[in-house]
Amino acid sequence: MRFFTEIQIPEFPDQMDYSKSMMFLGSCFSENIGQKLIDLKFDVDMNPFGILYNPESIANSLRILLEKRVFTEDDLFQDQGLWNSFYHHSRFSDVDRDSALEKINKRISSSNEFLKRADFLVITFGTAWVYELRKTGQIVSNCHKIPAAEFKRFRLGVFEVTNVYRELLEQIWKFNPDLKVIFTVSPIRHWKDGAIENQLSKATLLLAIDNLIKGFGDKSCSYFPSYEIVMDELRDYRFYADDMLHISPVAVDYIFERFSKAAITGASRDISKSMLKINKAMSHRPVNPNTTEFKKFLEQTLALINRMSEQFPIVNLNAERNYFEQELEKL
């Protein structure tokens, strides 16, 4: 007997593995999945503009990467002692203007090269609601605590999103013809928009993605149902964080497991299981390191790292090897 409705997710026709490169763009949910892959030593570039929520801001970011645009001081503004960019998350802000520009331009340059060779682009839409700066008409990626009166707030329409991405994807595939695009909608609710408005927003995003997949075909675009997994399989509030809006680590782990089975090859999932053991070993802190048992633990983990390096040379384990060798030298 089943006590929940399970989302059926067929395996993707083209799957990720340790030889592939993946770029993740979008909401904090994109960061949750992207960071897990980074921790498992997959080749990932995650949110080169920081966390982005709406389709237009994500599209602007991709255009900037395609152009390899160089930001200048005219692209920044100063507020409360920080230099900010309306195209970027606050993680790129800095008290020093030149430092902010350096961070921004270095990341654009490296991510442009990454996108050129990437095998997968995973885009997570969070909301269809956008903030347009009244004095310029720019839809911003981050308001940076500027007063709300300086923005016009509105919801993008299904065909607006569809048309923007229909043109943008054509440009992306000219830049990188072999790139596979995976769309997903963040299961995190934007409660500040209101319950009804949040649902309308999510529906807009889902319909736009459906239009794109139908238009381009599932060989070029695909959809991973993270939103539906939370709504149908994890609908209980025990899978949410304390704010009852963001999802809990347990929920993130579950969604990542479902994503892995659909999007990552079985061989690479097997490698990642060994990588999890190594990560867990690196976080282990013994009560007393001066014991035979701890030395044996270090030697066994180092042996595992060396075996993995021989079997899977594409996985770079130099940092992990150095760590355990240094721990052994201390004994």
Side-chain angles (χ1 to χ4, degrees), residues 258-324:
R258 299 299 307 276
F259 179 82
S260 298
K261 288 181 180 178
I264 300 176
T265 63
S268 287
R269 293 202 304 272
D270 289 339
I271 298 172
S272 68
K273 290 175 184 176
S274 296
M275 196 61 234
L276 277 173
K277 292 179 182 178
I278 295 171
N279 288 342
K280 186 177 180 180
M282 288 190 70
S283 64
H284 177 65
R285 296 294 179 268
V287 175
N288 184 357
N290 299 310
T291 62
T292 303
E293 288 78 10
F294 183 60
K295 182 180 180 181
K296 185 178 180 180
F297 166 77
L298 294 176
E299 290 172 340
Q300 288 175 340
T301 307
L302 187 57
L304 172 61
I305 291 171
N306 290 331
R307 286 198 304 272
M308 281 190 65
S309 295
E310 290 177 7
Q311 294 174 354
F312 314 109
I314 198 167
V315 183
N316 187 340
L317 295 172
N318 290 336
E320 288 77 8
R321 181 184 296 105
N322 291 338
Y323 172 81
F324 284 99

Side-chain angles (χ1 to χ4, degrees), residues 143-161:
C143 294
H144 295 291
K145 299 182 180 179
I146 301 298
E150 296 193 28
F151 298 96
K152 175 184 176 184
R153 179 179 174 275
F154 61 94
R155 191 178 72 236
L156 297 172
V158 173
F159 292 107
E160 285 179 272
V161 178

Side-chain angles (χ1 to χ4, degrees), residues 191-319:
W191 207 246
K192 290 182 180 179
D193 296 330
I196 296 171
E197 289 80 1
N198 173 72
Q199 288 297 89
L200 291 170
S201 167
K202 299 294 187 185
T204 298
L205 302 175
L206 291 166
L207 287 168
I209 292 170
D210 185 61
N211 285 345
L212 291 167
I213 293 174
K214 287 179 178 177
F216 286 113
D218 56 11
K219 289 185 178 181
S220 300
C221 296
S222 53
Y223 175 69
F224 177 74
S226 54
Y227 176 79
E228 291 79 1
I229 288 171
V230 173
M231 294 300 107
D232 285 285
E233 294 188 21
L234 306 180
R235 63 176 68 179
D236 192 291
Y237 270 102
R238 72 179 186 271
F239 296 112
Y240 284 79
D242 291 342
D243 64 2
M244 297 298 141
L245 298 174
H246 290 79
I247 55 178
S248 70
V250 171
V252 173
D253 289 343
Y254 180 81
I255 295 168
F256 181 72
E257 181 182 344
R258 299 299 307 276
F259 179 82
S260 298
K261 288 181 180 178
I264 300 176
T265 63
S268 287
R269 293 202 304 272
D270 289 339
I271 298 172
S272 68
K273 290 175 184 176
S274 296
M275 196 61 234
L276 277 173
K277 292 179 182 178
I278 295 171
N279 288 342
K280 186 177 180 180
M282 288 190 70
S283 64
H284 177 65
R285 296 294 179 268
V287 175
N288 184 357
N290 299 310
T291 62
T292 303
E293 288 78 10
F294 183 60
K295 182 180 180 181
K296 185 178 180 180
F297 166 77
L298 294 176
E299 290 172 340
Q300 288 175 340
T301 307
L302 187 57
L304 172 61
I305 291 171
N306 290 331
R307 286 198 304 272
M308 281 190 65
S309 295
E310 290 177 7
Q311 294 174 354
F312 314 109
I314 198 167
V315 183
N316 187 340
L317 295 172
N318 290 336

